[in-house]
Amino acid sequence: MESNPTTSYVPLFYCVILTVALRGLCAATNGQELASNYYDLTCPRALAAIRGSVLAAVRKDRRMGASLLRMHFHDCFVTGCDGSVLLDDTPSFRGEKTAGPNDNSLRGFEVIDAVKSQVESLCPGVVSCADILAVAARDSVVALGGPTWAVQLGRKDSTTADYAAANTDLPSPFMDLPALISSFSDKGFTSKQMVALSGAHTIGHATCRVFRDRIHQNNASSSSDNIDASFADSLKSGCPPLAGSNDTSLSPLDAASPAFFDNAYFTNLIANQGLLHSDQQLFGGASTDAHVVDYAKRPRAFLADFAAAMVKMGSLGVITGTDGEVRANCRKING
């Protein structure tokens, strides 16, 4: 049984007589499972507060939607959706923020801080940072015209992080298809679910250093890339061939509609206009070609499958019940 001084104890036998609308709360409290209505009694204004803050952040900076979605992904793929990616380093602790895939790359931490502060003012010590991040990812997608889904809630926050796993468990933009399939399979995803989740690259940007070799065909691996010549040429002025030149300059992952969540990412792949090596690996004589073509032709199928895959991703390695904690500050553990 979860013990939390800020919430009311719900005896198990009351679950029998509570209405259907509250059954999720009973399951989350006693069975330590996630439920979409987990905060209905303990913090009923939490989801509206998160949504309002995320919408304001995305209106101010359209890139922020992709950043918050990516942060949730980077959290879940390393030790599970436990808020560990939010922890700052200390003199005695090295977290995930400074790992290779995250350092000077992940952004939006100040948005999560602001949301957490607002939610804490409504109901102190109730809503976890991991849950805030999961809801913010969903609300970001919706803000950019994408699908919605019922975020399952009740996660607790980790009291530690894993720097080493952050360097090894996150898929790389340089991966070939077999490595990508293996990386997602290790987390329980099929190749079709991997393709659906990769569709998140219909929003967001990448830095020159991660696509330089692809557009300039700088090495043996990139020289075998299928890439539309005019597309490559359009990127070269902003990303010169010499390493270190314009490393941090940005290009949209989906040049057709970079700030709108749609299925253009897949039509780009069919046209050999995937920005990253790992993107284009999904199409071009690959085992995943059929999924790419299907999502390019059927946008509703992509949006539905993406939403379902996000629910599944949100369940990875969650901490519930008396395990973990609800951090007062998402950047550091309590105490």
Side-chain angles (χ1 to χ4, degrees):
M1 170 65 65
E2 176 184 347
S3 177
N4 189 330
T6 63
T7 62
S8 298
Y9 174 75
V10 182
L12 184 60
F13 72 88
Y14 281 135
C15 290
V16 177
I17 60 174
L18 285 175
T19 62
V20 171
L22 296 181
R23 285 176 186 165
L25 176 66
C26 293
T29 305
N30 296 285
Q32 301 182 358
E33 298 173 355
L34 304 184
S36 60
N37 58 356
Y38 186 85
Y39 296 113
D40 278 7
L41 292 183
T42 57
C43 195
R45 296 167 58 192
L47 298 191
I50 297 170
R51 180 171 61 252
S53 294
V54 169
L55 288 176
V58 173
R59 289 192 193 102
K60 183 178 179 181
D61 175 8
R62 298 284 286 182
R63 285 180 55 211
M64 189 55 65
S67 297
L68 294 175
L69 175 60
R70 182 169 181 253
M71 192 189 300
H72 179 47
F73 177 86
H74 280 224
D75 184 37
C76 293
F77 256 60
V78 180
T79 71
C81 308
D82 57 6
S84 58
V85 74
L86 301 171
L87 289 171
D88 284 343
D89 287 358
T90 72
S92 59
F93 167 79
R94 190 171 195 181
E96 296 162 20
K97 284 184 177 179
T98 54
N102 298 332
D103 193 26
N104 296 317
S105 176
L106 284 187
R107 62 192 293 269
F109 295 107
E110 73 284 355
V111 174
I112 299 300
D113 291 341
V115 174
K116 177 63 173 175
S117 178
Q118 184 177 3
V119 173
E120 283 292 298
S121 70
L122 296 173
C123 37
V126 174
V127 183
S128 69
C129 299
D131 275 351
I132 287 173
L133 188 51
V135 175
R138 187 271 311 276
D139 291 346
S140 293
V141 170
V142 173
L144 296 175
T148 189
W149 58 91
V151 178
Q152 301 301 299
L153 302 166
R155 301 168 187 81
K156 292 298 187 291
D157 296 321
S158 172
T159 56
T160 187
D162 195 329
Y163 173 84
N167 277 310
T168 59
D169 288 11
L170 290 165
S172 160
F174 308 107
M175 278 184 172
D176 292 330
L177 183 60
L180 289 168
I181 291 175
S182 176
S183 178
F184 279 81
S185 177
D186 287 346
K187 305 299 180 182
F189 293 103
T190 66
S191 59
K192 184 176 183 179
Q193 290 169 331
M194 175 192 71
V195 174
L197 287 172
S198 298
H201 283 184
T202 190
I203 55 176
H205 292 68
T207 56
C208 167
R209 66 181 179 84
V210 299
F211 61 84
R212 171 182 284 116
D213 286 349
R214 172 162 161 75
I215 65 173
H216 291 288
Q217 304 285 283
N218 280 346
N219 56 42
S221 175
S222 64
S223 65
S224 63
D225 265 359
N226 294 326
I227 187 168
D228 177 77
S230 61
F231 172 67
D233 289 342
S234 72
L235 296 166
K236 288 177 180 177
S237 62
C239 185
L242 183 64
S245 302
N246 287 24
D247 270 4
T248 58
S249 65
L250 297 169
S251 290
L253 291 162
D254 167 15
S257 53
F260 190 76
F261 199 99
D262 57 20
N263 70 327
Y265 168 80
F266 300 104
T267 58
N268 293 341
L269 296 186
I270 293 172
N272 291 328
Q273 293 182 3
L275 183 66
L276 305 180
H277 173 80
S278 57
D279 287 332
Q280 196 59 55
Q281 283 288 295
L282 302 182
F283 184 85
S287 61
T288 50
D289 280 10
H291 302 315
V292 172
V293 171
D294 183 43
Y295 290 150
K297 291 180 177 178
R298 299 195 303 140
R300 290 184 180 180
F302 159 58
L303 297 179
D305 287 355
F306 176 83
M310 286 298 295
V311 172
K312 181 174 180 176
M313 188 181 79
S315 70
L316 293 177
V318 297
I319 302 171
T320 60
T322 55
D323 297 327
E325 64 182 15
V326 174
R327 289 187 217 131
N329 180 334
C330 292
R331 293 177 178 267
K332 62 183 182 179
I333 63 174
N334 296 335

